[in-house]
Amino acid sequence: MNHEKYMEFALILARQAKGQTSPNPSVGAVVVNNGEIVGFGAHLKAGDAHAEVLALHMAGDKANDGTIYVTLEPCSHYGRTAPCADLLIEKNIKHVVIACLDPHERVAGKGIEKLRQAGVKVDVGILEKEAMELNGDFFHYIKMKQPYVTVKTATSLDGKIATVTGESQWITGEDARLDVHRYRDQHDGILVGINTIIADNPSLTTRLPEGGRNPIRIVLDTTLRIPMNSKVIRDGEAETWIFIGKNVSEERKFRFKEIDQVRIIQLDEDEIQVPTVLDVLGKENIMSLFVEGGAEINGSFLKSRRINQVITYFSPKLIGGRKAPTSFAGEGISVLNESISLRIKYMDRLGEDIKMVAELHEGDKDVYGNN
């Protein structure tokens, strides 16, 4: 049987719901019997039916003695839904093909063990790399209890994000800007600094022709100086969380008390620290974070070594200027061998622009300082 063929179909199904299942992973499942696909499904939202349940429901009696392909190990515990491993046994599935294990402590091999104890044949590792890449944010979130951080930048060929006078709209073309909205649709949160809010008054929403899901808008604003007429405060399009330092007065915070969908999160710090913000976001089930701030915000993520992926859009323009800003400001890295090493995943052309996606280099010192 062509295991890769059916697993690829399961992965395609899982990819379609990427971004809307958080804090759950994206999962697809396909039921095959006598070489015929008899059922398929994808997990769509946390709390809703899992992919295996939907696939088995479609298959009905045709699932008996069949094979199911699942992109992630079936669960074996009661959560918001019943254990999928039990349902597979109940429906008399004879063979379960799994792309990769679920690292969650409540699963972590227990689903496979339960299936094998019931006499079900289990194979693991079919298109494992593709499945792990699909849910890289989930795996990171489970391990670190913090969101997977993607930093997005758009620069000229000489690395400038704006001219010396601060003009930056638009360095890249429409295709690249549309691609950014696709990433917004797939992320739980989008983060900027207060300087971006003051300078650009952005909406930070998802604007795709077919619609889309708005991420939670997160603003780092130590002294709470955000203008009250900012779009992220007044438009009501999405939730806005504003992180502030410990010295902001109750009077200053009171202005936001009656504004719907605006939340003030006060930290016990004079200056906002990126690791603390990520700890809070992790506890709030923010699994993936899209950083669209300016050079200073990017520099703070670099300094704290909290970067998992960088997406850069290069425009075929030359700007120059000794004082024109680059993608990352702040103190920077003083010793080259302490820099964050990334691996280029792929490059693409979007109109006249070039898109490069790079992720933390596997095996190098990671962003949390572990070898």
Side-chain angles (χ1 to χ4, degrees), residues 174-175 177-179 181-182 185 206-212:
E174 290 185 8
D175 290 347
R177 298 200 296 273
L178 182 63
D179 195 58
H181 285 275
R182 295 192 182 99
D185 178 57
T206 298
R207 297 183 296 279
L208 294 169
E210 64 274 18

Side-chain angles (χ1 to χ4, degrees), residues 90-309:
E90 177 188 328
K91 296 297 183 180
N92 200 31
I93 290 289
K94 69 176 182 180
H95 189 186
V96 178
V97 182
I98 300 168
C100 62
L101 299 179
D102 188 334
H104 197 289
E105 60 184 4
R106 299 183 71 182
V107 187
K110 298 182 181 70
I112 291 173
E113 181 182 359
K114 179 177 282 191
L115 290 167
R116 285 176 172 161
Q117 286 181 348
V120 179
K121 180 182 178 182
V122 179
D123 286 319
V124 182
I126 304 300
L127 299 186
E128 180 180 31
K129 179 181 177 181
E130 292 84 348
M132 293 189 71
E133 182 172 302
L134 170 65
N135 281 308
D137 50 359
F138 171 74
F139 296 135
H140 173 84
Y141 175 72
I142 293 299
K143 177 182 177 182
M144 306 306 303
K145 312 302 182 188
Q146 291 187 352
Y148 183 94
V149 174
T150 295
V151 174
K152 165 253 159 181
T153 66
T155 79
S156 60
L157 284 184
D158 55 336
K160 304 297 185 180
I161 61 172
T163 67
V164 69
T165 62
E167 183 181 353
S168 61
Q169 295 184 338
W170 296 99
I171 286 180
T172 54
E174 290 185 8
D175 290 347
R177 298 200 296 273
L178 182 63
D179 195 58
V180 169
H181 285 275
R182 295 192 182 99
Y183 280 107
R184 290 182 179 182
D185 178 57
Q186 294 179 0
H187 281 77
D188 297 332
I190 179 171
L191 183 145
V192 300
I194 184 57
N195 290 334
T196 294
I197 298 294
I198 292 173
D200 300 334
N201 193 20
S203 298
L204 302 180
T205 53
T206 298
R207 297 183 296 279
L208 294 169
E210 64 274 18
R213 190 178 64 101
N214 288 327
I216 293 174
R217 302 176 292 196
I218 299 160
V219 182
L220 305 189
D221 183 8
T222 300
T223 60
L224 194 54
R225 57 192 178 99
I226 187 169
M228 295 302 293
N229 62 350
S230 300
K231 291 177 182 177
V232 296
I233 298 295
R234 294 297 180 186
D235 66 13
E237 294 292 326
E239 286 188 63
T240 298
W241 297 357
I242 305 174
F243 281 82
I244 63 175
K246 70 176 184 180
N247 296 318
V248 177
S249 67
E250 291 298 322
E251 180 183 4
R252 199 164 186 83
K253 291 186 292 182
F254 186 78
R255 297 177 298 161
F256 300 87
K257 192 173 183 63
E258 302 301 325
I259 302 177
D260 290 341
Q261 299 198 78
V262 174
R263 177 182 176 190
I264 303 297
I265 301 175
Q266 189 161 25
L267 303 180
D268 189 24
E269 300 172 337
D270 292 325
E271 296 289 335
I272 295 172
Q273 302 297 316
V274 167
T276 307
V277 171
L278 295 180
D279 280 339
V280 173
L281 294 179
K283 291 174 183 175
E284 294 288 345
N285 291 329
I286 300 296
M287 188 169 75
S288 57
L289 182 66
F290 198 50
V291 178
E292 276 201 68
E296 293 298 331
I297 286 293
N298 293 348
S300 66
F301 275 84
L302 175 62
K303 179 183 177 181
S304 64
R305 307 186 72 81
R306 293 306 199 268
I307 296 174
N308 301 101
Q309 180 174 249

